[in-house]
Amino acid sequence: MVVNQVVNSVFRSCSYILSQAERSWLVDCGDVDKIMPLIEGTLCGVLLTHGHFDHIYGLNQLLSLYPDVTIYTNEEGFETLYNDKLNFSKFYGNSIQLQPVNNIKIVHDGERVELFDGISVQAVFTPGHSPCSVTWVLDDMMFTGDSYIPGVKTVTNVPHSNKPQAVNSESIIKRLADHRTVYPGHAPESLEII
Ligand SMILES: [Zn+2]
């Protein structure tokens, strides 16, 4: 499996493209123009680490290009996709709400999603930074979103964040990170992390 990173233009949030045998999966969706050339073959789905707008703002454009792609998030994340206050975009002068679509799959804590033949990813709920935060865990890698960015204090001063939950989630992630590569939700030197 190949993992490619895109550093997006909004707050240097990160998207990741996982590819193998002409199938690809995307983790979070920012700059579609940068993401598209890295998609190999069929785009099967999008795994969301959380619903803050800097991690989802490309979804409408992506869905116009790939209308059959499935978006994976949890119940709380689902709400943020359609609510510009919950995803914070309203407060940054650019309202972002997902077009009505049916292809959203609500995942539960611990649920597995098969990505490629014999390779599945597990949704581990890591709330705190946001109520909808999910860390996606594979055999030797994990996508932590903003629940854990190595070397950066987890942001818990935004609406609906919860510091005790974030501390607990971070300890869960650090345990899981023992033998795994961490792919976080922002590139170094982000000016803002939400
Ligand atoms: Zn965030």
Side-chain angles (χ1 to χ4, degrees):
M1 188 198 317
V2 176
V3 180
N4 281 298
Q5 180 194 52
V6 165
V7 178
N8 297 301
S9 56
V10 177
F11 304 153
R12 291 174 63 77
S13 69
C14 293
S15 294
Y16 298 94
I17 301 98
L18 287 58
S19 302
Q20 180 170 296
E22 290 302 304
R23 290 162 65 91
S24 295
W25 287 76
L26 177 63
V27 177
D28 289 350
C29 189
D31 298 339
V32 173
D33 297 348
K34 291 187 198 168
I35 291 167
M36 268 192 58
L38 296 168
I39 294 173
E40 283 179 27
T42 308
L43 180 63
C44 303
V46 185
L47 310 171
L48 297 181
T49 63
H50 64 304
H52 290 159
F53 79 94
D54 49 331
H55 298 263
I56 64 162
Y57 67 89
L59 281 178
N60 281 327
Q61 190 186 351
L62 189 82
L63 283 163
S64 70
L65 297 164
Y66 301 92
D68 297 327
V69 77
T70 304
I71 298 166
Y72 293 77
T73 184
N74 59 12
E75 200 101 43
E76 292 84 354
F78 180 84
E79 283 180 50
T80 66
L81 298 177
Y82 296 99
N83 185 320
D84 59 0
K85 287 184 192 162
L86 287 178
N87 68 37
F88 301 158
S89 59
K90 186 183 173 75
F91 312 123
Y92 284 80
N94 184 19
S95 174
I96 291 164
Q97 287 169 289
L98 196 67
Q99 305 295 324
V101 288
N102 297 319
N103 35 342
I104 298 178
K105 171 84 170 66
I106 305 283
V107 295
H108 302 98
D109 194 14
E111 194 170 329
R112 284 185 171 275
V113 177
E114 183 165 4
L115 302 184
F116 308 106
D117 277 348
I119 300 177
S120 66
V121 67
Q122 187 171 30
V124 177
F125 286 15
T126 50
H129 168 70
S130 76
C132 58
S133 291
V134 177
T135 292
W136 296 96
V137 181
L138 282 90
D139 285 348
D140 59 354
M141 59 184 83
M142 57 202 293
F143 299 88
T144 56
D146 295 354
S147 297
Y148 177 57
I149 301 174
V152 177
K153 196 166 173 282
T154 303
V155 173
T156 55
N157 60 355
V158 292
H160 315 293
S161 64
N162 179 312
K163 193 171 180 184
Q165 277 188 345
V167 170
N168 185 50
S169 291
E170 232 180 273
S171 69
I172 291 169
I173 289 170
K174 283 179 180 166
R175 269 204 307 277
L176 289 168
D178 197 18
H179 297 294
R180 293 184 172 93
T181 305
V182 171
Y183 294 89
H186 287 265
E189 292 162 32
S190 298
L191 292 177
E192 191 157 2
I193 293 172
I194 62 163

